[in-house]
Amino acid sequence: TYGTYYGNDYNSSEALTQAQMEVNALYIYSYLLDKGWSENAIAGFLGNMEAESSMNPGRWQSDRVGGDAEGHGYSLVQWTPYTKYTEWCSSMGYSDPSEMDSALARIIYEVENNIQWIGKGAYSEYTFEEFSKSSETVGFLAVGFLLCYERPLDQSESVQNYRTSLAEKWYTYLTGKEPISPGGSGKRNKKFNFI
């Protein structure tokens, strides 16, 4: 409902190009601003999304379409196992988990129910909702999302610095951009990313 975005369908998976991520970043930015997120929190989120899925709502972890017995991740934040997200989509009436609005609706659901987020260290007093509205620095919020939400095996300083640099890039890119107003007829606005 916030314009056009790029992604794969449920049965394909690949990284997006920089130009495609820019389109998706504006979509995500518009959606989350409309839900009350701060620009800094959105940038921290986007830096992590680029590292996790190249902002592709239809991306499988390691591009292993359909997942496997190890329960690989899926979508924007690589929900692991993927069934955590796909079963939620089914239970909420979302027919296609590869849609951007389905993935973003899950994020909002997690914020509203304070799930997935586990505060630690400098972020131990933060709830997911407080993160989403925070005016802390983009770098602080990018690392917070990495440590409290994504929680990958490698949380090293180099990983933190990388995700911070991505978040700062998205903050710079989106500064001064006019958000897209919600609208449309509810028709599918996805551009498939087939090469």
Side-chain angles (χ1 to χ4, degrees):
T1 57
Y2 292 84
T4 300
Y5 65 90
Y6 287 90
N8 291 103
D9 66 18
Y10 191 70
N11 297 310
S12 61
S13 183
E14 61 189 40
L16 300 180
T17 66
Q18 179 63 33
Q20 291 168 332
M21 284 191 291
E22 289 172 3
V23 170
N24 285 13
L26 183 57
Y27 190 104
I28 294 166
Y29 171 74
S30 301
Y31 185 103
L32 294 177
L33 268 181
D34 196 42
K35 301 297 184 192
W37 283 46
S38 72
E39 291 180 343
N40 290 10
I42 294 169
F45 176 77
L46 290 171
N48 280 278
M49 292 318 86
E50 179 175 354
E52 291 289 324
S53 65
S54 74
M55 290 187 228
N56 182 344
R59 184 127 192 235
W60 288 92
Q61 183 178 354
S62 305
D63 294 323
R64 295 180 184 162
V65 175
D68 58 24
E70 295 175 29
H72 281 81
Y74 183 69
S75 195
L76 289 178
V77 294
Q78 298 291 284
W79 281 284
T80 306
Y82 67 93
T83 53
K84 176 195 269 185
Y85 170 61
T86 57
E87 289 175 0
W88 176 85
C89 283
S90 293
S91 73
M92 299 300 284
Y94 294 108
S95 61
D96 186 352
S98 72
E99 294 290 334
M100 181 71 81
D101 286 359
S102 300
L104 293 173
R106 172 64 190 203
I107 293 292
I108 298 305
Y109 172 83
E110 291 174 344
V111 169
E112 290 172 347
N113 293 282
N114 200 35
I115 55 177
Q116 182 65 32
W117 183 273
I118 300 173
K120 66 185 258 189
Y123 311 91
S124 61
E125 301 300 317
Y126 272 73
T127 64
F128 200 177
E129 182 173 10
E130 289 167 333
F131 164 87
S132 74
K133 297 181 184 333
S134 179
S135 60
E136 290 283 353
T137 68
V138 170
F140 181 83
L141 295 172
V143 172
F145 197 83
L146 169 75
L147 299 177
C148 301
Y149 184 94
E150 291 294 349
R151 302 187 303 275
L153 291 177
D154 185 355
Q155 299 178 10
S156 66
E157 185 176 342
S158 64
V159 170
Q160 293 178 31
N161 290 340
Y162 175 65
R163 294 199 185 198
T164 294
S165 70
L166 295 176
E168 289 170 346
K169 172 185 79 173
W170 290 113
Y171 183 83
T172 299
Y173 174 75
L174 291 166
T175 298
K177 293 264 192 278
E178 187 69 30
I180 299 165
S181 297
S185 61
K187 293 180 183 174
R188 185 182 188 99
N189 292 321
K190 185 183 341 183
K191 293 183 178 180
F192 289 98
N193 184 41
F194 298 125
I195 294 177

